[in-house]
Amino acid sequence: MTEQLRPDGSLRHLLTLETLTRSQIERLLERSQSFVRPLGESPPRSAALAGRTVANLFTEPSTRTRVSFELAAKRLGATAVNLEVQLSSRVKGESMLDTVYTLQSLHVDTFVIRDAQPGVPGLVATHVAPHVSVLSAGEAHLSHPTQGLLDALTVYQRKQRFAGLAIAIVGDIRHSRVARSAWHAFSRLGVSDLRIAAPAALMPDAEEFQDCSRHTQLASALRGADVVMMLRIQRERMGAADLPEDEEYFAAWGLTAERLALARRDAIVMHPQPMNRGIEIASDVADGPQSVIRDQVRNGVAVRMAVLAEVLGAHA
Ligand code: NCD
């Protein structure tokens, strides 16, 4: 695994939350919270990253992650560039590295990388110059560290604690990098009752999520939960034969208001988006009073500002 820390212990790359300590995660969350503003107020701005250049290299579709990394960089005074990397023009990392070397020559000092192939952010991190940082914006089904941080921040804002919470992550856990990074964050932060719920075909292998209870029925996962995180079926990571029918899936696994009533009355509903309304979540739940889905998006910019400031050593 690529080393994420500099010899002095500071964060240089962010590729996974798996190897961060609880206090490193807490520090990032505190820093993130300092960048959160209520909607309607202007977002914080500074020149902390003036002269720095952040490049977004995304080979998979993205709306929120890409825009929020771009806004985060700009709000801290950095220059942000977006490169449309076509999957077809790239052969197994090699040409990605050439792209990276080119951008590095143009004074890019932070790469934000999303890629469908495992190992790409780590590969880039091992090849860039010592002053350059790499941030994963989603690596295959394996990790999505800034999403894990924004999910943890969203829970903390509403619950003011992690200890004693029951958190249910529901849906296509097997193919979800969001579930893996949420699991890394929540277990490191001391959530003791972590539940994963999925139909058998979408359950991860036994070696993963070992500290989570496994539920093959939605009801048992929801009962008494403080937090319910719903996930999309990652169709792009499955063969057509493995795909469940939409109606059948909604009937067994869709989060409806009736089912949400099994959770605690003050339970919050999360979803990383993109959402498939009427498949994994009913529209009235997604837009309902318990939903914090839009807070998650708002928190995403704050988390990315904190991570950029952290790796670039800025006093923002
Ligand atoms: C997710 C992703 O790309 O992993 N989206 C996101 O970044 N919020 C989730 C998904 O695609 O289902």
PDB file of all heavy atoms in Angstrom, residues 18-52:
ATOM      1  N   GLU A  18      -8.314   3.789   5.407  1.00  0.00           N
ATOM      2  CA  GLU A  18      -8.070   2.538   6.127  1.00  0.00           C
ATOM      3  C   GLU A  18      -6.852   2.618   7.044  1.00  0.00           C
ATOM      4  O   GLU A  18      -6.836   2.009   8.108  1.00  0.00           O
ATOM      5  CB  GLU A  18      -7.877   1.409   5.104  1.00  0.00           C
ATOM      6  CG  GLU A  18      -8.140   0.051   5.669  1.00  0.00           C
ATOM      7  CD  GLU A  18      -8.130  -1.025   4.595  1.00  0.00           C
ATOM      8  OE1 GLU A  18      -7.941  -0.707   3.394  1.00  0.00           O
ATOM      9  OE2 GLU A  18      -8.296  -2.204   4.964  1.00  0.00           O
ATOM     10  N   THR A  19      -5.825   3.373   6.625  1.00  0.00           N
ATOM     11  CA  THR A  19      -4.596   3.391   7.416  1.00  0.00           C
ATOM     12  C   THR A  19      -4.473   4.655   8.265  1.00  0.00           C
ATOM     13  O   THR A  19      -3.443   4.856   8.903  1.00  0.00           O
ATOM     14  CB  THR A  19      -3.362   3.275   6.489  1.00  0.00           C
ATOM     15  OG1 THR A  19      -3.451   4.318   5.503  1.00  0.00           O
ATOM     16  CG2 THR A  19      -3.327   1.937   5.780  1.00  0.00           C
ATOM     17  N   LEU A  20      -5.510   5.495   8.275  1.00  0.00           N
ATOM     18  CA  LEU A  20      -5.439   6.690   9.128  1.00  0.00           C
ATOM     19  C   LEU A  20      -5.851   6.336  10.550  1.00  0.00           C
ATOM     20  O   LEU A  20      -6.669   5.440  10.779  1.00  0.00           O
ATOM     21  CB  LEU A  20      -6.352   7.799   8.594  1.00  0.00           C
ATOM     22  CG  LEU A  20      -6.008   8.387   7.216  1.00  0.00           C
ATOM     23  CD1 LEU A  20      -6.883   9.600   6.934  1.00  0.00           C
ATOM     24  CD2 LEU A  20      -4.534   8.769   7.104  1.00  0.00           C
ATOM     25  N   THR A  21      -5.289   7.070  11.509  1.00  0.00           N
ATOM     26  CA  THR A  21      -5.670   6.850  12.898  1.00  0.00           C
ATOM     27  C   THR A  21      -6.956   7.630  13.199  1.00  0.00           C
ATOM     28  O   THR A  21      -7.350   8.517  12.435  1.00  0.00           O
ATOM     29  CB  THR A  21      -4.584   7.364  13.863  1.00  0.00           C
ATOM     30  OG1 THR A  21      -4.472   8.783  13.667  1.00  0.00           O
ATOM     31  CG2 THR A  21      -3.246   6.702  13.607  1.00  0.00           C
ATOM     32  N   ARG A  22      -7.526   7.309  14.327  1.00  0.00           N
ATOM     33  CA  ARG A  22      -8.728   8.030  14.746  1.00  0.00           C
ATOM     34  C   ARG A  22      -8.442   9.530  14.878  1.00  0.00           C
ATOM     35  O   ARG A  22      -9.228  10.352  14.423  1.00  0.00           O
ATOM     36  CB  ARG A  22      -9.192   7.442  16.082  1.00  0.00           C
ATOM     37  CG  ARG A  22     -10.414   8.124  16.593  1.00  0.00           C
ATOM     38  CD  ARG A  22     -10.908   7.448  17.841  1.00  0.00           C
ATOM     39  NE  ARG A  22     -12.132   8.092  18.257  1.00  0.00           N
ATOM     40  CZ  ARG A  22     -13.080   7.504  18.956  1.00  0.00           C
ATOM     41  NH1 ARG A  22     -12.942   6.254  19.323  1.00  0.00           N
ATOM     42  NH2 ARG A  22     -14.156   8.145  19.304  1.00  0.00           N
ATOM     43  N   SER A  23      -7.288   9.873  15.454  1.00  0.00           N
ATOM     44  CA  SER A  23      -7.055  11.313  15.648  1.00  0.00           C
ATOM     45  C   SER A  23      -6.784  12.016  14.323  1.00  0.00           C
ATOM     46  O   SER A  23      -7.149  13.184  14.163  1.00  0.00           O
ATOM     47  CB  SER A  23      -5.972  11.580  16.690  1.00  0.00           C
ATOM     48  OG  SER A  23      -4.774  11.026  16.265  1.00  0.00           O
ATOM     49  N   GLN A  24      -6.193  11.334  13.355  1.00  0.00           N
ATOM     50  CA  GLN A  24      -6.014  11.966  12.034  1.00  0.00           C
ATOM     51  C   GLN A  24      -7.380  12.218  11.379  1.00  0.00           C
ATOM     52  O   GLN A  24      -7.607  13.269  10.774  1.00  0.00           O
ATOM     53  CB  GLN A  24      -5.155  11.065  11.130  1.00  0.00           C
ATOM     54  CG  GLN A  24      -3.675  11.112  11.494  1.00  0.00           C
ATOM     55  CD  GLN A  24      -2.874   9.981  10.871  1.00  0.00           C
ATOM     56  OE1 GLN A  24      -3.383   8.879  10.624  1.00  0.00           O
ATOM     57  NE2 GLN A  24      -1.601  10.235  10.625  1.00  0.00           N
ATOM     58  N   ILE A  25      -8.276  11.265  11.523  1.00  0.00           N
ATOM     59  CA  ILE A  25      -9.618  11.446  10.942  1.00  0.00           C
ATOM     60  C   ILE A  25     -10.357  12.567  11.678  1.00  0.00           C
ATOM     61  O   ILE A  25     -10.959  13.445  11.062  1.00  0.00           O
ATOM     62  CB  ILE A  25     -10.415  10.123  10.971  1.00  0.00           C
ATOM     63  CG1 ILE A  25      -9.753   9.108  10.023  1.00  0.00           C
ATOM     64  CG2 ILE A  25     -11.877  10.342  10.584  1.00  0.00           C
ATOM     65  CD1 ILE A  25     -10.410   7.745   9.993  1.00  0.00           C
ATOM     66  N   GLU A  26     -10.244  12.574  13.006  1.00  0.00           N
ATOM     67  CA  GLU A  26     -10.932  13.621  13.781  1.00  0.00           C
ATOM     68  C   GLU A  26     -10.412  15.009  13.422  1.00  0.00           C
ATOM     69  O   GLU A  26     -11.173  15.966  13.324  1.00  0.00           O
ATOM     70  CB  GLU A  26     -10.756  13.360  15.285  1.00  0.00           C
ATOM     71  CG  GLU A  26     -11.648  12.220  15.762  1.00  0.00           C
ATOM     72  CD  GLU A  26     -11.363  11.771  17.184  1.00  0.00           C
ATOM     73  OE1 GLU A  26     -10.303  12.136  17.749  1.00  0.00           O
ATOM     74  OE2 GLU A  26     -12.200  11.041  17.736  1.00  0.00           O
ATOM     75  N   ARG A  27      -9.105  15.094  13.206  1.00  0.00           N
ATOM     76  CA  ARG A  27      -8.515  16.396  12.841  1.00  0.00           C
ATOM     77  C   ARG A  27      -9.085  16.874  11.501  1.00  0.00           C
ATOM     78  O   ARG A  27      -9.446  18.039  11.334  1.00  0.00           O
ATOM     79  CB  ARG A  27      -6.994  16.223  12.763  1.00  0.00           C
ATOM     80  CG  ARG A  27      -6.255  17.456  12.342  1.00  0.00           C
ATOM     81  CD  ARG A  27      -4.771  17.110  12.124  1.00  0.00           C
ATOM     82  NE  ARG A  27      -4.183  18.057  11.190  1.00  0.00           N
ATOM     83  CZ  ARG A  27      -3.597  19.189  11.573  1.00  0.00           C
ATOM     84  NH1 ARG A  27      -3.517  19.478  12.844  1.00  0.00           N
ATOM     85  NH2 ARG A  27      -3.094  20.019  10.670  1.00  0.00           N
ATOM     86  N   LEU A  28      -9.187  15.950  10.540  1.00  0.00           N
ATOM     87  CA  LEU A  28      -9.744  16.329   9.238  1.00  0.00           C
ATOM     88  C   LEU A  28     -11.212  16.746   9.372  1.00  0.00           C
ATOM     89  O   LEU A  28     -11.667  17.682   8.715  1.00  0.00           O
ATOM     90  CB  LEU A  28      -9.604  15.170   8.236  1.00  0.00           C
ATOM     91  CG  LEU A  28      -8.186  14.958   7.682  1.00  0.00           C
ATOM     92  CD1 LEU A  28      -8.081  13.620   6.955  1.00  0.00           C
ATOM     93  CD2 LEU A  28      -7.806  16.106   6.729  1.00  0.00           C
ATOM     94  N   LEU A  29     -11.944  16.066  10.241  1.00  0.00           N
ATOM     95  CA  LEU A  29     -13.359  16.428  10.428  1.00  0.00           C
ATOM     96  C   LEU A  29     -13.489  17.804  11.083  1.00  0.00           C
ATOM     97  O   LEU A  29     -14.335  18.609  10.688  1.00  0.00           O
ATOM     98  CB  LEU A  29     -14.083  15.367  11.265  1.00  0.00           C
ATOM     99  CG  LEU A  29     -14.214  13.971  10.630  1.00  0.00           C
ATOM    100  CD1 LEU A  29     -14.992  13.034  11.562  1.00  0.00           C
ATOM    101  CD2 LEU A  29     -14.891  14.032   9.265  1.00  0.00           C
ATOM    102  N   GLU A  30     -12.639  18.072  12.062  1.00  0.00           N
ATOM    103  CA  GLU A  30     -12.697  19.397  12.712  1.00  0.00           C
ATOM    104  C   GLU A  30     -12.373  20.498  11.716  1.00  0.00           C
ATOM    105  O   GLU A  30     -13.027  21.531  11.679  1.00  0.00           O
ATOM    106  CB  GLU A  30     -11.669  19.467  13.852  1.00  0.00           C
ATOM    107  CG  GLU A  30     -12.224  18.998  15.166  1.00  0.00           C
ATOM    108  CD  GLU A  30     -11.124  18.785  16.192  1.00  0.00           C
ATOM    109  OE1 GLU A  30     -10.168  19.593  16.242  1.00  0.00           O
ATOM    110  OE2 GLU A  30     -11.212  17.785  16.934  1.00  0.00           O
ATOM    111  N   ARG A  31     -11.364  20.242  10.921  1.00  0.00           N
ATOM    112  CA  ARG A  31     -10.973  21.235   9.925  1.00  0.00           C
ATOM    113  C   ARG A  31     -12.100  21.416   8.903  1.00  0.00           C
ATOM    114  O   ARG A  31     -12.394  22.530   8.481  1.00  0.00           O
ATOM    115  CB  ARG A  31      -9.698  20.746   9.235  1.00  0.00           C
ATOM    116  CG  ARG A  31      -8.879  21.868   8.746  1.00  0.00           C
ATOM    117  CD  ARG A  31      -7.442  21.518   8.485  1.00  0.00           C
ATOM    118  NE  ARG A  31      -6.799  22.770   8.108  1.00  0.00           N
ATOM    119  CZ  ARG A  31      -5.544  22.880   7.704  1.00  0.00           C
ATOM    120  NH1 ARG A  31      -4.786  21.811   7.639  1.00  0.00           N
ATOM    121  NH2 ARG A  31      -5.054  24.046   7.365  1.00  0.00           N
ATOM    122  N   SER A  32     -12.734  20.327   8.518  1.00  0.00           N
ATOM    123  CA  SER A  32     -13.849  20.399   7.567  1.00  0.00           C
ATOM    124  C   SER A  32     -14.978  21.241   8.138  1.00  0.00           C
ATOM    125  O   SER A  32     -15.539  22.103   7.458  1.00  0.00           O
ATOM    126  CB  SER A  32     -14.396  18.994   7.261  1.00  0.00           C
ATOM    127  OG  SER A  32     -13.386  18.163   6.754  1.00  0.00           O
ATOM    128  N   GLN A  33     -15.301  20.988   9.397  1.00  0.00           N
ATOM    129  CA  GLN A  33     -16.425  21.716  10.016  1.00  0.00           C
ATOM    130  C   GLN A  33     -16.171  23.232   9.982  1.00  0.00           C
ATOM    131  O   GLN A  33     -17.104  24.009   9.825  1.00  0.00           O
ATOM    132  CB  GLN A  33     -16.632  21.215  11.454  1.00  0.00           C
ATOM    133  CG  GLN A  33     -17.806  21.841  12.181  1.00  0.00           C
ATOM    134  CD  GLN A  33     -19.155  21.624  11.487  1.00  0.00           C
ATOM    135  OE1 GLN A  33     -19.454  20.528  11.000  1.00  0.00           O
ATOM    136  NE2 GLN A  33     -19.965  22.668  11.402  1.00  0.00           N
ATOM    137  N   SER A  34     -14.907  23.629  10.073  1.00  0.00           N
ATOM    138  CA  SER A  34     -14.607  25.068  10.066  1.00  0.00           C
ATOM    139  C   SER A  34     -14.922  25.711   8.711  1.00  0.00           C
ATOM    140  O   SER A  34     -15.016  26.925   8.603  1.00  0.00           O
ATOM    141  CB  SER A  34     -13.144  25.314  10.457  1.00  0.00           C
ATOM    142  OG  SER A  34     -12.282  24.969   9.390  1.00  0.00           O
ATOM    143  N   PHE A  35     -15.092  24.903   7.678  1.00  0.00           N
ATOM    144  CA  PHE A  35     -15.423  25.433   6.355  1.00  0.00           C
ATOM    145  C   PHE A  35     -16.924  25.339   6.031  1.00  0.00           C
ATOM    146  O   PHE A  35     -17.342  25.687   4.935  1.00  0.00           O
ATOM    147  CB  PHE A  35     -14.647  24.677   5.263  1.00  0.00           C
ATOM    148  CG  PHE A  35     -13.157  24.927   5.278  1.00  0.00           C
ATOM    149  CD1 PHE A  35     -12.261  23.889   5.501  1.00  0.00           C
ATOM    150  CD2 PHE A  35     -12.650  26.195   5.048  1.00  0.00           C
ATOM    151  CE1 PHE A  35     -10.892  24.110   5.499  1.00  0.00           C
ATOM    152  CE2 PHE A  35     -11.279  26.429   5.044  1.00  0.00           C
ATOM    153  CZ  PHE A  35     -10.396  25.376   5.272  1.00  0.00           C
ATOM    154  N   VAL A  36     -17.710  24.799   6.945  1.00  0.00           N
ATOM    155  CA  VAL A  36     -19.147  24.642   6.673  1.00  0.00           C
ATOM    156  C   VAL A  36     -19.875  25.949   6.983  1.00  0.00           C
ATOM    157  O   VAL A  36     -19.637  26.559   8.027  1.00  0.00           O
ATOM    158  CB  VAL A  36     -19.748  23.493   7.529  1.00  0.00           C
ATOM    159  CG1 VAL A  36     -21.263  23.390   7.335  1.00  0.00           C
ATOM    160  CG2 VAL A  36     -19.081  22.163   7.183  1.00  0.00           C
ATOM    161  N   ARG A  37     -20.729  26.373   6.076  1.00  0.00           N
ATOM    162  CA  ARG A  37     -21.589  27.544   6.307  1.00  0.00           C
ATOM    163  C   ARG A  37     -23.012  27.160   5.940  1.00  0.00           C
ATOM    164  O   ARG A  37     -23.221  26.376   5.010  1.00  0.00           O
ATOM    165  CB  ARG A  37     -21.189  28.712   5.399  1.00  0.00           C
ATOM    166  CG  ARG A  37     -19.811  29.267   5.620  1.00  0.00           C
ATOM    167  CD  ARG A  37     -19.693  30.039   6.944  1.00  0.00           C
ATOM    168  NE  ARG A  37     -18.342  30.556   7.113  1.00  0.00           N
ATOM    169  CZ  ARG A  37     -17.289  29.838   7.510  1.00  0.00           C
ATOM    170  NH1 ARG A  37     -17.426  28.558   7.795  1.00  0.00           N
ATOM    171  NH2 ARG A  37     -16.101  30.396   7.627  1.00  0.00           N
ATOM    172  N   PRO A  38     -23.994  27.742   6.620  1.00  0.00           N
ATOM    173  CA  PRO A  38     -25.381  27.453   6.231  1.00  0.00           C
ATOM    174  C   PRO A  38     -25.646  27.951   4.810  1.00  0.00           C
ATOM    175  O   PRO A  38     -25.033  28.934   4.377  1.00  0.00           O
ATOM    176  CB  PRO A  38     -26.208  28.257   7.234  1.00  0.00           C
ATOM    177  CG  PRO A  38     -25.279  28.809   8.244  1.00  0.00           C
ATOM    178  CD  PRO A  38     -23.888  28.719   7.711  1.00  0.00           C
ATOM    179  N   LEU A  39     -26.551  27.293   4.115  1.00  0.00           N
ATOM    180  CA  LEU A  39     -26.910  27.745   2.770  1.00  0.00           C
ATOM    181  C   LEU A  39     -27.505  29.140   2.877  1.00  0.00           C
ATOM    182  O   LEU A  39     -28.229  29.452   3.816  1.00  0.00           O
ATOM    183  CB  LEU A  39     -27.927  26.795   2.132  1.00  0.00           C
ATOM    184  CG  LEU A  39     -27.388  25.461   1.656  1.00  0.00           C
ATOM    185  CD1 LEU A  39     -28.458  24.712   0.874  1.00  0.00           C
ATOM    186  CD2 LEU A  39     -26.129  25.614   0.805  1.00  0.00           C
ATOM    187  N   GLY A  40     -27.181  29.979   1.899  1.00  0.00           N
ATOM    188  CA  GLY A  40     -27.671  31.353   1.955  1.00  0.00           C
ATOM    189  C   GLY A  40     -26.568  32.297   2.400  1.00  0.00           C
ATOM    190  O   GLY A  40     -26.558  33.462   2.035  1.00  0.00           O
ATOM    191  N   GLU A  41     -25.647  31.791   3.219  1.00  0.00           N
ATOM    192  CA  GLU A  41     -24.455  32.586   3.566  1.00  0.00           C
ATOM    193  C   GLU A  41     -23.386  32.330   2.520  1.00  0.00           C
ATOM    194  O   GLU A  41     -23.350  31.256   1.932  1.00  0.00           O
ATOM    195  CB  GLU A  41     -23.888  32.113   4.912  1.00  0.00           C
ATOM    196  CG  GLU A  41     -24.456  32.838   6.082  1.00  0.00           C
ATOM    197  CD  GLU A  41     -23.817  32.368   7.388  1.00  0.00           C
ATOM    198  OE1 GLU A  41     -22.625  32.010   7.414  1.00  0.00           O
ATOM    199  OE2 GLU A  41     -24.552  32.347   8.386  1.00  0.00           O
ATOM    200  N   SER A  42     -22.483  33.304   2.309  1.00  0.00           N
ATOM    201  CA  SER A  42     -21.441  33.015   1.320  1.00  0.00           C
ATOM    202  C   SER A  42     -20.458  32.004   1.875  1.00  0.00           C
ATOM    203  O   SER A  42     -20.163  32.008   3.069  1.00  0.00           O
ATOM    204  CB  SER A  42     -20.654  34.246   0.882  1.00  0.00           C
ATOM    205  OG  SER A  42     -21.124  35.376   1.464  1.00  0.00           O
ATOM    206  N   PRO A  43     -19.961  31.137   1.000  1.00  0.00           N
ATOM    207  CA  PRO A  43     -18.987  30.147   1.460  1.00  0.00           C
ATOM    208  C   PRO A  43     -17.678  30.835   1.838  1.00  0.00           C
ATOM    209  O   PRO A  43     -17.387  31.917   1.337  1.00  0.00           O
ATOM    210  CB  PRO A  43     -18.800  29.241   0.233  1.00  0.00           C
ATOM    211  CG  PRO A  43     -19.243  30.046  -0.935  1.00  0.00           C
ATOM    212  CD  PRO A  43     -20.251  31.031  -0.434  1.00  0.00           C
ATOM    213  N   PRO A  44     -16.903  30.209   2.731  1.00  0.00           N
ATOM    214  CA  PRO A  44     -15.635  30.832   3.112  1.00  0.00           C
ATOM    215  C   PRO A  44     -14.671  30.878   1.934  1.00  0.00           C
ATOM    216  O   PRO A  44     -14.675  29.979   1.094  1.00  0.00           O
ATOM    217  CB  PRO A  44     -15.098  29.902   4.206  1.00  0.00           C
ATOM    218  CG  PRO A  44     -15.789  28.605   3.999  1.00  0.00           C
ATOM    219  CD  PRO A  44     -17.104  28.909   3.379  1.00  0.00           C
ATOM    220  N   ARG A  45     -13.875  31.919   1.889  1.00  0.00           N
ATOM    221  CA  ARG A  45     -12.872  32.057   0.828  1.00  0.00           C
ATOM    222  C   ARG A  45     -11.577  32.488   1.462  1.00  0.00           C
ATOM    223  O   ARG A  45     -11.584  33.237   2.427  1.00  0.00           O
ATOM    224  CB  ARG A  45     -13.273  33.181  -0.137  1.00  0.00           C
ATOM    225  CG  ARG A  45     -14.280  32.762  -1.134  1.00  0.00           C
ATOM    226  CD  ARG A  45     -14.647  33.919  -2.049  1.00  0.00           C
ATOM    227  NE  ARG A  45     -15.718  33.485  -2.899  1.00  0.00           N
ATOM    228  CZ  ARG A  45     -15.555  32.742  -3.985  1.00  0.00           C
ATOM    229  NH1 ARG A  45     -14.354  32.389  -4.377  1.00  0.00           N
ATOM    230  NH2 ARG A  45     -16.587  32.359  -4.687  1.00  0.00           N
ATOM    231  N   SER A  46     -10.471  32.046   0.870  1.00  0.00           N
ATOM    232  CA  SER A  46      -9.181  32.573   1.326  1.00  0.00           C
ATOM    233  C   SER A  46      -8.176  32.438   0.200  1.00  0.00           C
ATOM    234  O   SER A  46      -8.475  31.865  -0.846  1.00  0.00           O
ATOM    235  CB  SER A  46      -8.692  31.824   2.564  1.00  0.00           C
ATOM    236  OG  SER A  46      -8.037  30.634   2.188  1.00  0.00           O
ATOM    237  N   ALA A  47      -6.998  32.976   0.435  1.00  0.00           N
ATOM    238  CA  ALA A  47      -5.937  32.876  -0.566  1.00  0.00           C
ATOM    239  C   ALA A  47      -4.891  31.876  -0.095  1.00  0.00           C
ATOM    240  O   ALA A  47      -3.752  31.901  -0.538  1.00  0.00           O
ATOM    241  CB  ALA A  47      -5.326  34.247  -0.799  1.00  0.00           C
ATOM    242  N   ALA A  48      -5.314  30.964   0.809  1.00  0.00           N
ATOM    243  CA  ALA A  48      -4.348  30.045   1.420  1.00  0.00           C
ATOM    244  C   ALA A  48      -3.599  29.208   0.385  1.00  0.00           C
ATOM    245  O   ALA A  48      -2.449  28.848   0.600  1.00  0.00           O
ATOM    246  CB  ALA A  48      -5.077  29.145   2.407  1.00  0.00           C
ATOM    247  N   LEU A  49      -4.265  28.875  -0.711  1.00  0.00           N
ATOM    248  CA  LEU A  49      -3.610  28.030  -1.723  1.00  0.00           C
ATOM    249  C   LEU A  49      -3.252  28.827  -2.982  1.00  0.00           C
ATOM    250  O   LEU A  49      -3.124  28.252  -4.071  1.00  0.00           O
ATOM    251  CB  LEU A  49      -4.499  26.834  -2.088  1.00  0.00           C
ATOM    252  CG  LEU A  49      -4.879  25.877  -0.950  1.00  0.00           C
ATOM    253  CD1 LEU A  49      -5.621  24.660  -1.501  1.00  0.00           C
ATOM    254  CD2 LEU A  49      -3.659  25.416  -0.167  1.00  0.00           C
ATOM    255  N   ALA A  50      -3.070  30.130  -2.835  1.00  0.00           N
ATOM    256  CA  ALA A  50      -2.687  30.955  -3.994  1.00  0.00           C
ATOM    257  C   ALA A  50      -1.382  30.426  -4.583  1.00  0.00           C
ATOM    258  O   ALA A  50      -0.460  30.068  -3.843  1.00  0.00           O
ATOM    259  CB  ALA A  50      -2.532  32.408  -3.566  1.00  0.00           C
ATOM    260  N   GLY A  51      -1.333  30.346  -5.891  1.00  0.00           N
ATOM    261  CA  GLY A  51      -0.121  29.847  -6.554  1.00  0.00           C
ATOM    262  C   GLY A  51      -0.102  28.343  -6.727  1.00  0.00           C
ATOM    263  O   GLY A  51       0.740  27.799  -7.444  1.00  0.00           O
ATOM    264  N   ARG A  52      -1.038  27.645  -6.105  1.00  0.00           N
ATOM    265  CA  ARG A  52      -1.101  26.182  -6.238  1.00  0.00           C
ATOM    266  C   ARG A  52      -2.019  25.822  -7.390  1.00  0.00           C
ATOM    267  O   ARG A  52      -2.947  26.578  -7.717  1.00  0.00           O
ATOM    268  CB  ARG A  52      -1.644  25.534  -4.964  1.00  0.00           C
ATOM    269  CG  ARG A  52      -0.896  25.890  -3.731  1.00  0.00           C
ATOM    270  CD  ARG A  52       0.567  25.479  -3.827  1.00  0.00           C
ATOM    271  NE  ARG A  52       1.161  25.489  -2.507  1.00  0.00           N
ATOM    272  CZ  ARG A  52       1.684  24.418  -1.920  1.00  0.00           C
ATOM    273  NH1 ARG A  52       1.724  23.262  -2.543  1.00  0.00           N
ATOM    274  NH2 ARG A  52       2.186  24.516  -0.707  1.00  0.00           N
TER     275      ARG A  52
END
